[in-house]
Amino acid sequence: AQKVTQAQTEISVVEKEDVTLDCVYETRDTTYYLFWYKQPPSGELVFLIRRNSFDEQNEISGRYSWNFQKSTSSFNFTITASQVVDSAVYFCALSESSGGSYIPTFGRGTSLIVHP
Amino acid sequence: DAGVTQSPTHLIKTRGQQVTLRCSPKSGHDTVSWYQQALGQGPQFIFQYYEEEERQRGNFPDRFSGHQFPNYSSELNVNALLLGDSALYLCASSLGGTQPQHFGDGTRLSIL
């Protein structure tokens, strides 16, 4: 069984603050993928990043950065100098191989509100 | 390059009716997955289609069925609608089953 926990239901920050969204996962597989998706009010899930279980290197993309730690089964997402356009629901997801296909299991999401 | 497109955008049905939702995958993608997202929840996997066959299925009853056409587009059918079927239905496409999925804007289904 696999499980993704996003303990933060909602986070509210003021523009230019840094914010970290937490994600903790459970899996018995040694091979798996972790994802982050952004869902703005329009509804579309926007792919942000995919990480495989063998690559623990942290990644930075502009104001976004991700910290993957297998020792704590966490894959946290940090937005530096947040902007109003970052307001959205962010989902962390985990997928294991099943029949040759990786189907993501999503957490319940963290709603980020960035105030001007 | 069009992304994943879904139709209709919104739909209102009554209990017991049947509904068909449609999805056109992103150009170059051959695999289509469907998800149900209830309010305040993460998307839940319904099923995945590849080469016109259902390759994987989540924990959804047989009232939920689908189809994939030779051009890779897909339909989701739900029979005997229940109030609990009210949700945002998301379609996602990918190239094969191992590449990241790209999602459409979804169809918001309301059951009265």
Side-chain angles (χ1 to χ4, degrees), chain B residues 5 22-32 51-52 67-75 93:
Chain B
T5 57
R22 295 176 176 83
C23 172
S24 292
K26 180 179 169 68
S27 178
H29 287 183
D30 58 8
T31 302
V32 173
E51 293 188 340
E52 303 179 51
H67 189 77
Q68 185 179 34
F69 300 94
N71 66 353
Y72 306 119
S73 66
S74 177
E75 289 182 349
S93 72

Side-chain angles (χ1 to χ4, degrees), chain B residues 56-73:
Chain B
Q56 291 223 47
R57 189 180 183 91
N59 189 25
F60 278 80
D62 292 344
R63 298 186 298 109
F64 290 78
S65 63
H67 189 77
Q68 185 179 34
F69 300 94
N71 66 353
Y72 306 119
S73 66

Side-chain angles (χ1 to χ4, degrees), chain A residues 39 44 50 98 101-102 108, chain B residues 37 41 48 56 97-98 105:
Chain A
Q39 188 174 42
E44 177 187 1
R50 180 178 76 165
S98 177
S101 180
Y102 286 81
R108 295 185 66 169
Chain B
Q37 186 178 16
Q41 303 292 320
Q48 183 181 83
Q56 291 223 47
T98 61
D105 287 345

